[in-house]
Amino acid sequence: MTQHTDVVVVGGGQAGLAAGYHLRRQGLDFVILDADPAPGGSWQHMWDSLHLFSPAQHSSLPGRLMPAQPGETYPDAGHVVDYITDYEKRYDLPVQHDTRVDAVRPDGDHLLVEADTGTWRARAVISATGTWSRPFLPTVPGRSVFTGRQLHTVSYRSPADFAGQRVVVVGGGNSGAQIAADLALDGRVEVTWVTQRPARFLPDDIDGRALFDVATARRRALEEGRSDTGGVASLGDIVAVPPVRSARDAGLLNVRPMFTRLTADGVRWPDGSHSGADAVVWCTGFRPALAHLAPLNLRGPRGHIPTDGTRALSEPRLHLLGYGDWTGPASATLIGVGRPARDAVQQIARQLST
Ligand code: FAD
């Protein structure tokens, strides 16, 4: 039986819930379909010691300040899950969990949303499926011959899984730095951290707040027709959150340039030397989870969907939220997703009122 509604939101992580908050305020009829059995989006799957790179109040969704976590300047992932779970309840958001959307198709002047628990016919769709389910693994020579463990950020949980082992962590972003630090500080793991280009730490007194301020200034400049002030990339890549700072200051973060290939039992360096390794953790980023939108045939360069703000250029009934700067500056962050969520819902409300 097909259900009818104004708006379907695909994905009930922070982005989907931020959209839900604004849809509620606009008085629109909507449903949020989320593949996870429980609230929290990908925060519930992140590793035990992960900490935010911004303080709580600078990691808040619309309408509700994230409470501070006692004793922590930068809250951990468990605190974020509690906050998102509370948010979903507090605003009584209609999230249908354990529901995976397989396809979104055109259907006359509506969109048909086909999920494993049913079908919805909607006048607009907001896709907020994040990137967690699309880990990116680079093509590196020898990956198929390495006999040790290989895992991506998404599968990393704790140093206990690597006690007594030689682990190579690949990736010069926040995940690479935090996982290399987590392993190094544990003391039972021999860690080598490799990056494509020299690791660039933000100054210690700068954290995610500055990243958001820079992204906001860039958006404002672009909106006002001024020259592009450049994104956060100009600042550096890594926020020196406490565990990263401790490992770095203790000289435990020995960074090396990327190896040239993997061998059966280790890595080959550019100078031809070899190091044994028992495991490789690929902290090499993600791609947007957009497979459910394939029937709409909207894919553009780099696997993105061309948008104007959040709205898909070739399908004005579809909005994309939370995937990164291409869907709004800092939109892939807790504090950054609120504004594009509000703008998307306001556009939808105008469109549905005509
Ligand atoms: P997600 O949290 O991934 O939620 C997407 C939801 O969509 C999930 O519940 C999933 O089950 C569901 N879904 C996916 N596909 C389907 C489908 N086909 N049908 C139905 N449901 C579906 N941001 C910050 O602000 N501060 C930080 O410190 C920070 N640190 C980060 C550290 C790491 C390691 C990573 C990976 C990201 C970090 N981020 C941080 C970025 C961002 O805040 C998170 O990635 C956040 O989870 C993005 O929220 P989201 O709602 O867009 O996606």
Side-chain angles (χ1 to χ4, degrees):
M1 181 268 281
T2 300
Q3 302 174 63
H4 293 260
T5 185
D6 288 337
V7 185
V8 169
V9 180
V10 186
Q14 65 201 42
L17 298 186
Y21 170 84
H22 287 292
L23 286 163
R24 184 60 97 218
R25 286 164 70 97
Q26 287 283 350
L28 291 171
D29 183 45
F30 69 99
V31 66
I32 301 175
L33 306 177
D34 186 70
D36 270 312
S42 56
W43 292 104
Q44 61 194 302
H45 307 302
M46 294 189 190
W47 65 94
D48 306 350
S49 69
L50 175 80
H51 284 73
L52 286 179
F53 48 56
S54 309
Q57 68 277 30
H58 293 274
S59 301
S60 301
L61 292 174
R64 171 101 175 112
L65 264 185
M66 181 186 286
Q69 180 177 5
E72 295 285 358
T73 309
Y74 300 99
D76 64 23
H79 185 76
V80 180
V81 173
D82 295 345
Y83 168 69
I84 291 178
T85 304
D86 169 69
Y87 190 92
E88 185 177 310
K89 271 197 206 94
R90 175 177 297 267
Y91 292 107
D92 187 25
L93 296 174
V95 185
Q96 193 160 315
H97 281 287
D98 248 345
T99 295
R100 173 164 297 280
V101 169
D102 303 312
V104 178
R105 301 178 194 286
D107 179 22
D109 59 356
H110 284 64
L111 289 172
L112 211 56
V113 179
E114 296 168 356
D116 53 6
T117 59
T119 301
W120 280 262
R121 196 160 182 271
R123 300 170 67 199
V125 168
I126 297 176
S127 183
T129 49
T131 58
W132 189 257
S133 56
R134 285 281 316 280
F136 171 71
L137 287 170
T139 314
V140 172
R143 266 200 43 218
S144 54
V145 301
F146 180 60
T147 56
R149 267 181 77 192
Q150 292 190 64
L151 60 152
H152 183 275
T153 308
V154 296
S155 309
Y156 176 77
R157 282 296 161 278
S158 122
D161 304 331
F162 301 93
Q165 293 187 15
R166 299 158 303 176
V167 180
V168 177
V169 175
V170 181
N174 283 295
S175 303
Q178 286 203 26
I179 289 177
D182 197 38
L183 291 165
L185 290 170
D186 177 81
R188 294 174 293 176
V189 184
E190 187 189 314
V191 193
T192 305
W193 179 26
V194 298
T195 62
Q196 290 280 18
R197 56 167 196 244
R200 298 187 311 154
F201 289 94
L202 285 164
D204 285 1
D205 58 345
I206 288 203
D207 62 25
R209 281 169 282 196
L211 300 175
F212 180 64
D213 294 345
V214 166
T216 306
R218 182 181 191 201
R219 174 174 44 75
R220 221 169 269 137
L222 294 174
E223 281 170 353
E224 292 163 8
R226 287 183 284 116
S227 57
D228 189 342
T229 52
V232 294
S234 55
L235 274 178
D237 303 312
I238 302 164
V239 178
V241 290
V244 170
R245 205 173 305 175
S246 321
R248 180 199 64 193
D249 298 350
L252 295 174
L253 284 184
N254 62 330
V255 198
R256 292 192 64 164
M258 183 64 183
F259 48 80
T260 51
R261 60 169 306 109
L262 280 165
T263 63
D265 60 352
V267 295
R268 176 93 42 221
W269 302 106
D271 64 3
S273 63
H274 183 267
S275 303
D278 303 299
V280 175
V281 185
W282 298 99
C283 302
T284 43
F286 299 84
R287 293 293 178 269
L290 302 177
H292 57 297
L293 301 176
L296 298 174
N297 241 338
L298 301 172
R299 278 300 175 101
R302 298 185 25 236
H304 296 171
I305 291 178
T307 57
D308 172 13
T310 54
R311 175 181 267 174
L313 284 177
S314 315
E315 176 42 83
R317 296 166 295 188
L318 173 70
H319 285 258
L320 294 117
L321 188 59
Y323 293 105
D325 285 351
W326 62 281
T327 57
S331 63
T333 64
L334 283 149
I335 191 164
V337 74
R339 187 190 176 93
R342 185 201 62 193
D343 295 350
V345 170
Q346 285 176 348
Q347 279 190 18
I348 290 170
R350 279 195 298 273
Q351 177 188 334
L352 299 193
S353 64
T354 52

